[in-house]
Structure formats: C-alpha cells, structure tokens
Amino acid sequence: RFSQLTGGVLNPQDYSQRMVMLVSETFEALSVTLWLVDPSQRHFTYAASTSLSSSPDATPPIPDDLYSEVLQAVSRAPQALPVDLDRSSESWCQRLRTCNPVWFPKVGGHRSCLPLTFNSHLVGLLVVGDRIRGIPFSIEDLELLKCLGDQMSAGLMTQTLSARLVQASEMEAFQTMSAFLVHDLKNTASALSLTLRNLPVHFDNPAFRADALRTLSRSVQRVNELIA
C-alpha cells in the first residue's frame, strides 16, 4: 500500500498528504499531522494533516527553537519508538502538545509522536492521535508506526536530494550557457573595440569605412541572434 501511494510522487506536499492519509487508515486515527524540517532555516513547517486546517497560515506555529530540542532527543535515542505525547514529561513534547490540539479528549486516547529521521538527519515530526474508540497503541502498533516513519523519512530525503540534484543540473546548464554567451559577446566586443581604435586614424579611407560598416552590421546581427 505504501509503495502504491508513493510511487512516482515527486511533490513533497502530495507525498506528505498521502502519508498522513495512509497512517490515518492504518491506525484508524482521526488526527494525523506531519511537520517537516526546513533544512535552510532549521525549524519545523506544517506539511499535511487530517485534522488541522489545510492552510499553513491557519495552523498553530511550532517554535523555531523546538528543532534543536528534538534533535538532541533523537541523538540520545536514534532508534526509539514513538513517544506518548500526552504523558511524556520531556520539554519538547510539552511544547508540541499546544500545536496539536486534542479533538476528542475523552474517547480518542493518547497521542503518539514520532520524530522522523534518516541517517541521523532529523526530517520531520509525525503526530498520531484521536484513534477510533480510543484504542491505545500496542507495542506492535508503535513498531509498525516506526517502520512506516522510517519509510517516510527515506522517501522525503530522496525527494530533497533529487531536488538538489535537479538544481545542480540546472545551475550547470546555466553556467554552460553563460560561458557560451560571454564568449560570443567578448568576440563581438573585441571586433567593435578594434574598429573604434582604428576609426580616428583610417576614417578617411573608403575601404576602411566599408569594412567598419560590415563589422557593425555583423555585430548587431550576432547580438540579435544571441538574444533570440
């Protein structure tokens, strides 16, 4: 099911939305929210949810410094199972609770939170709660959630690396094109510069004036070709 949903999905937003739906179906959880790490700014950003608003601007923001707290917790226990978000006394769990409201506090049971990691890199946070009939998470459930989380982390990291590869390829192509343009413009500028240097000396020479006009014409034509 995971492979069917993620095969060929290259958009992180679509990928995230499919993942929260899959987790929701698998664990019969009404509230599944995914927060991803912004690698450039080192903080969590809203990605997808089955319960929170679809607009990132309408979702409770996660404090920027929470990233470092979660990263420290992951470093201490890189292979840990999901934590009970409502019972945990860790500071980052207490702060995260305010960003993931409980919609069904009496019948939904406790929420579990899984930091998503890939090769010691923190990729995101997955919060699962409000299970139908309030069924508590068993050890088998938590292990399955951890397994799904590892798959999600690998997929998200692959997308990130693929995007960087595309960026690098585009930059290489741009640099190649720029080098070609600069080379041609330099040759055109050299021809015009040589004509200008000789103009005061040979202006009275009809043959020089004719050659200068041809040089100007070719230069204008070449510049227009480069623009096109």
Side-chain angles (χ1 to χ4, degrees), residues 87-99:
R87 287 179 176 171
S88 175
S89 60
E90 292 204 43
S91 172
W92 69 270
C93 290
Q94 295 176 3
R95 299 175 67 189
L96 185 61
R97 283 200 287 267
T98 63
C99 305

Side-chain angles (χ1 to χ4, degrees), residues 146-161:
K146 179 66 168 64
C147 180
L148 279 173
D150 290 343
Q151 294 290 334
M152 292 171 61
S153 302
L156 290 166
M157 184 59 71
T158 298
Q159 289 190 347
T160 299
L161 296 177

Side-chain angles (χ1 to χ4, degrees), residues 81-159:
L81 291 176
V83 298
D84 189 321
L85 192 61
D86 293 311
R87 287 179 176 171
S88 175
S89 60
E90 292 204 43
S91 172
W92 69 270
C93 290
Q94 295 176 3
R95 299 175 67 189
L96 185 61
R97 283 200 287 267
T98 63
C99 305
N100 291 268
V102 179
W103 299 108
F104 307 97
K106 294 183 179 180
V107 297
H110 288 186
R111 292 164 294 178
S112 290
C113 177
L114 174 65
L116 302 177
T117 60
F118 182 80
N119 287 346
S120 75
H121 294 284
L122 182 59
V123 178
L125 286 173
L126 181 67
V127 178
V128 184
D130 297 330
R131 298 189 78 184
I132 297 174
R133 299 185 302 278
I135 301 174
F137 286 91
S138 65
I139 291 297
E140 290 78 9
D141 288 335
L142 296 178
E143 289 178 346
L144 177 58
L145 182 58
K146 179 66 168 64
C147 180
L148 279 173
D150 290 343
Q151 294 290 334
M152 292 171 61
S153 302
L156 290 166
M157 184 59 71
T158 298
Q159 289 190 347

